[in-house]
PDB file of all heavy atoms in Angstrom:
ATOM      1  N   ILE A   1       0.850  -1.184   0.000  1.00  0.00           N
ATOM      2  CA  ILE A   1       0.000   0.000   0.000  1.00  0.00           C
ATOM      3  C   ILE A   1       0.888   1.238   0.000  1.00  0.00           C
ATOM      4  O   ILE A   1       1.791   1.369   0.829  1.00  0.00           O
ATOM      5  CB  ILE A   1      -0.931   0.022   1.223  1.00  0.00           C
ATOM      6  CG1 ILE A   1      -1.843  -1.211   1.218  1.00  0.00           C
ATOM      7  CG2 ILE A   1      -1.769   1.305   1.244  1.00  0.00           C
ATOM      8  CD1 ILE A   1      -2.680  -1.349   2.461  1.00  0.00           C
ATOM      9  N   PHE A  32      -7.221   2.117   0.023  1.00  0.00           N
ATOM     10  CA  PHE A  32      -7.279   1.511   1.355  1.00  0.00           C
ATOM     11  C   PHE A  32      -8.022   2.435   2.320  1.00  0.00           C
ATOM     12  O   PHE A  32      -7.797   3.652   2.339  1.00  0.00           O
ATOM     13  CB  PHE A  32      -5.862   1.246   1.866  1.00  0.00           C
ATOM     14  CG  PHE A  32      -5.805   0.842   3.304  1.00  0.00           C
ATOM     15  CD1 PHE A  32      -6.209  -0.424   3.705  1.00  0.00           C
ATOM     16  CD2 PHE A  32      -5.360   1.740   4.264  1.00  0.00           C
ATOM     17  CE1 PHE A  32      -6.157  -0.784   5.033  1.00  0.00           C
ATOM     18  CE2 PHE A  32      -5.304   1.382   5.600  1.00  0.00           C
ATOM     19  CZ  PHE A  32      -5.698   0.110   5.985  1.00  0.00           C
ATOM     20  N   ASN A  33      -8.888   1.819   3.119  1.00  0.00           N
ATOM     21  CA  ASN A  33      -9.623   2.563   4.146  1.00  0.00           C
ATOM     22  C   ASN A  33      -9.522   1.793   5.451  1.00  0.00           C
ATOM     23  O   ASN A  33      -9.797   0.589   5.503  1.00  0.00           O
ATOM     24  CB  ASN A  33     -11.086   2.748   3.739  1.00  0.00           C
ATOM     25  CG  ASN A  33     -11.802   3.752   4.625  1.00  0.00           C
ATOM     26  OD1 ASN A  33     -11.977   3.536   5.826  1.00  0.00           O
ATOM     27  ND2 ASN A  33     -12.227   4.857   4.017  1.00  0.00           N
ATOM     28  N   GLU A  34      -9.136   2.504   6.477  1.00  0.00           N
ATOM     29  CA  GLU A  34      -8.880   1.852   7.760  1.00  0.00           C
ATOM     30  C   GLU A  34     -10.160   1.372   8.423  1.00  0.00           C
ATOM     31  O   GLU A  34     -10.168   0.328   9.104  1.00  0.00           O
ATOM     32  CB  GLU A  34      -8.158   2.836   8.676  1.00  0.00           C
ATOM     33  CG  GLU A  34      -7.817   2.276  10.036  1.00  0.00           C
ATOM     34  CD  GLU A  34      -7.140   3.302  10.909  1.00  0.00           C
ATOM     35  OE1 GLU A  34      -6.878   4.422  10.414  1.00  0.00           O
ATOM     36  OE2 GLU A  34      -6.871   2.970  12.070  1.00  0.00           O
ATOM     37  N   ASP A  38     -12.527  -1.267   1.644  1.00  0.00           N
ATOM     38  CA  ASP A  38     -11.703  -0.585   0.643  1.00  0.00           C
ATOM     39  C   ASP A  38     -12.523  -0.286  -0.598  1.00  0.00           C
ATOM     40  O   ASP A  38     -13.328  -1.114  -1.058  1.00  0.00           O
ATOM     41  CB  ASP A  38     -10.498  -1.447   0.262  1.00  0.00           C
ATOM     42  CG  ASP A  38      -9.567  -1.671   1.437  1.00  0.00           C
ATOM     43  OD1 ASP A  38      -9.672  -0.944   2.430  1.00  0.00           O
ATOM     44  OD2 ASP A  38      -8.720  -2.599   1.347  1.00  0.00           O
ATOM     45  N   VAL A 403       5.102  -0.707  15.167  1.00  0.00           N
ATOM     46  CA  VAL A 403       3.640  -0.662  15.185  1.00  0.00           C
ATOM     47  C   VAL A 403       3.099  -0.903  16.586  1.00  0.00           C
ATOM     48  O   VAL A 403       2.217  -0.205  17.087  1.00  0.00           O
ATOM     49  CB  VAL A 403       3.055  -1.688  14.190  1.00  0.00           C
ATOM     50  CG1 VAL A 403       1.548  -1.798  14.364  1.00  0.00           C
ATOM     51  CG2 VAL A 403       3.388  -1.278  12.769  1.00  0.00           C
ATOM     52  N   ASP A 411       0.016   3.681  12.921  1.00  0.00           N
ATOM     53  CA  ASP A 411      -0.152   3.997  11.501  1.00  0.00           C
ATOM     54  C   ASP A 411      -0.855   2.823  10.827  1.00  0.00           C
ATOM     55  O   ASP A 411      -0.318   1.712  10.763  1.00  0.00           O
ATOM     56  CB  ASP A 411       1.211   4.251  10.859  1.00  0.00           C
ATOM     57  CG  ASP A 411       1.063   4.791   9.447  1.00  0.00           C
ATOM     58  OD1 ASP A 411       0.444   4.104   8.626  1.00  0.00           O
ATOM     59  OD2 ASP A 411       1.580   5.886   9.190  1.00  0.00           O
ATOM     60  N   ALA A 412      -2.044   3.063  10.286  1.00  0.00           N
ATOM     61  CA  ALA A 412      -2.849   1.979   9.730  1.00  0.00           C
ATOM     62  C   ALA A 412      -2.215   1.381   8.481  1.00  0.00           C
ATOM     63  O   ALA A 412      -2.247   0.164   8.271  1.00  0.00           O
ATOM     64  CB  ALA A 412      -4.254   2.497   9.411  1.00  0.00           C
ATOM     65  N   VAL A 413      -1.620   2.228   7.630  1.00  0.00           N
ATOM     66  CA  VAL A 413      -1.002   1.719   6.389  1.00  0.00           C
ATOM     67  C   VAL A 413       0.193   0.841   6.713  1.00  0.00           C
ATOM     68  O   VAL A 413       0.360  -0.247   6.155  1.00  0.00           O
ATOM     69  CB  VAL A 413      -0.594   2.904   5.489  1.00  0.00           C
ATOM     70  CG1 VAL A 413       0.203   2.402   4.289  1.00  0.00           C
ATOM     71  CG2 VAL A 413      -1.815   3.665   5.023  1.00  0.00           C
ATOM     72  N   MET A 414       1.040   1.287   7.650  1.00  0.00           N
ATOM     73  CA  MET A 414       2.190   0.478   8.035  1.00  0.00           C
ATOM     74  C   MET A 414       1.755  -0.845   8.642  1.00  0.00           C
ATOM     75  O   MET A 414       2.313  -1.902   8.340  1.00  0.00           O
ATOM     76  CB  MET A 414       3.077   1.246   9.015  1.00  0.00           C
ATOM     77  CG  MET A 414       4.325   0.496   9.456  1.00  0.00           C
ATOM     78  SD  MET A 414       5.300   1.388  10.674  1.00  0.00           S
ATOM     79  CE  MET A 414       5.841   2.772   9.693  1.00  0.00           C
ATOM     80  N   ALA A 415       0.737  -0.787   9.477  1.00  0.00           N
ATOM     81  CA  ALA A 415       0.236  -2.015  10.102  1.00  0.00           C
ATOM     82  C   ALA A 415      -0.295  -2.985   9.057  1.00  0.00           C
ATOM     83  O   ALA A 415      -0.084  -4.197   9.138  1.00  0.00           O
ATOM     84  CB  ALA A 415      -0.846  -1.671  11.116  1.00  0.00           C
ATOM     85  N   GLN A 416      -1.001  -2.454   8.052  1.00  0.00           N
ATOM     86  CA  GLN A 416      -1.544  -3.318   7.002  1.00  0.00           C
ATOM     87  C   GLN A 416      -0.431  -3.943   6.177  1.00  0.00           C
ATOM     88  O   GLN A 416      -0.496  -5.120   5.819  1.00  0.00           O
ATOM     89  CB  GLN A 416      -2.472  -2.502   6.099  1.00  0.00           C
ATOM     90  CG  GLN A 416      -3.209  -3.320   5.047  1.00  0.00           C
ATOM     91  CD  GLN A 416      -4.278  -4.212   5.642  1.00  0.00           C
ATOM     92  OE1 GLN A 416      -4.658  -4.038   6.792  1.00  0.00           O
ATOM     93  NE2 GLN A 416      -4.746  -5.180   4.875  1.00  0.00           N
ATOM     94  N   ASN A 417       0.614  -3.187   5.836  1.00  0.00           N
ATOM     95  CA  ASN A 417       1.740  -3.733   5.069  1.00  0.00           C
ATOM     96  C   ASN A 417       2.453  -4.826   5.840  1.00  0.00           C
ATOM     97  O   ASN A 417       2.851  -5.853   5.277  1.00  0.00           O
ATOM     98  CB  ASN A 417       2.724  -2.617   4.699  1.00  0.00           C
ATOM     99  CG  ASN A 417       2.176  -1.705   3.611  1.00  0.00           C
ATOM    100  OD1 ASN A 417       1.308  -2.106   2.833  1.00  0.00           O
ATOM    101  ND2 ASN A 417       2.675  -0.466   3.561  1.00  0.00           N
ATOM    102  N   VAL A 418       2.658  -4.611   7.148  1.00  0.00           N
ATOM    103  CA  VAL A 418       3.296  -5.644   7.962  1.00  0.00           C
ATOM    104  C   VAL A 418       2.432  -6.888   8.033  1.00  0.00           C
ATOM    105  O   VAL A 418       2.923  -8.024   7.949  1.00  0.00           O
ATOM    106  CB  VAL A 418       3.588  -5.096   9.379  1.00  0.00           C
ATOM    107  CG1 VAL A 418       4.065  -6.206  10.302  1.00  0.00           C
ATOM    108  CG2 VAL A 418       4.606  -3.985   9.310  1.00  0.00           C
ATOM    109  N   GLU A 419       1.141  -6.689   8.137  1.00  0.00           N
ATOM    110  CA  GLU A 419       0.229  -7.837   8.213  1.00  0.00           C
ATOM    111  C   GLU A 419       0.276  -8.662   6.940  1.00  0.00           C
ATOM    112  O   GLU A 419       0.276  -9.897   6.973  1.00  0.00           O
ATOM    113  CB  GLU A 419      -1.190  -7.331   8.471  1.00  0.00           C
ATOM    114  CG  GLU A 419      -2.222  -8.459   8.606  1.00  0.00           C
ATOM    115  CD  GLU A 419      -3.622  -7.926   8.859  1.00  0.00           C
ATOM    116  OE1 GLU A 419      -3.760  -6.747   9.249  1.00  0.00           O
ATOM    117  OE2 GLU A 419      -4.580  -8.697   8.659  1.00  0.00           O
ATOM    118  N   LYS A 420       0.340  -7.994   5.779  1.00  0.00           N
ATOM    119  CA  LYS A 420       0.418  -8.729   4.513  1.00  0.00           C
ATOM    120  C   LYS A 420       1.744  -9.451   4.366  1.00  0.00           C
ATOM    121  O   LYS A 420       1.809 -10.563   3.839  1.00  0.00           O
ATOM    122  CB  LYS A 420       0.214  -7.766   3.342  1.00  0.00           C
ATOM    123  CG  LYS A 420      -1.218  -7.271   3.213  1.00  0.00           C
ATOM    124  CD  LYS A 420      -1.398  -6.448   1.949  1.00  0.00           C
ATOM    125  CE  LYS A 420      -2.848  -6.028   1.779  1.00  0.00           C
ATOM    126  NZ  LYS A 420      -3.077  -5.248   0.540  1.00  0.00           N
ATOM    127  N   ALA A 421       2.826  -8.827   4.821  1.00  0.00           N
ATOM    128  CA  ALA A 421       4.138  -9.476   4.730  1.00  0.00           C
ATOM    129  C   ALA A 421       4.200 -10.718   5.589  1.00  0.00           C
ATOM    130  O   ALA A 421       4.876 -11.695   5.255  1.00  0.00           O
ATOM    131  CB  ALA A 421       5.230  -8.488   5.142  1.00  0.00           C
ATOM    132  N   GLU A 422       3.484 -10.684   6.727  1.00  0.00           N
ATOM    133  CA  GLU A 422       3.503 -11.825   7.632  1.00  0.00           C
ATOM    134  C   GLU A 422       2.405 -12.836   7.329  1.00  0.00           C
ATOM    135  O   GLU A 422       2.325 -13.869   7.995  1.00  0.00           O
ATOM    136  CB  GLU A 422       3.342 -11.332   9.081  1.00  0.00           C
ATOM    137  CG  GLU A 422       4.458 -10.405   9.543  1.00  0.00           C
ATOM    138  CD  GLU A 422       5.771 -11.130   9.633  1.00  0.00           C
ATOM    139  OE1 GLU A 422       5.777 -12.299  10.052  1.00  0.00           O
ATOM    140  OE2 GLU A 422       6.809 -10.534   9.284  1.00  0.00           O
ATOM    141  N   ALA A 423       1.556 -12.555   6.343  1.00  0.00           N
ATOM    142  CA  ALA A 423       0.426 -13.436   6.052  1.00  0.00           C
ATOM    143  C   ALA A 423       0.919 -14.820   5.662  1.00  0.00           C
ATOM    144  O   ALA A 423       1.829 -14.968   4.846  1.00  0.00           O
ATOM    145  CB  ALA A 423      -0.433 -12.839   4.944  1.00  0.00           C
TER     146      ALA A 423
END
Side-chain angles (χ1 to χ4, degrees):
I1 300 174
F32 170 74
N33 192 295
E34 181 182 356
D38 296 344
V403 171
D411 189 301
V413 173
M414 181 183 294
Q416 186 71 15
N417 287 336
V418 172
E419 182 180 343
K420 288 186 177 181
E422 299 293 322

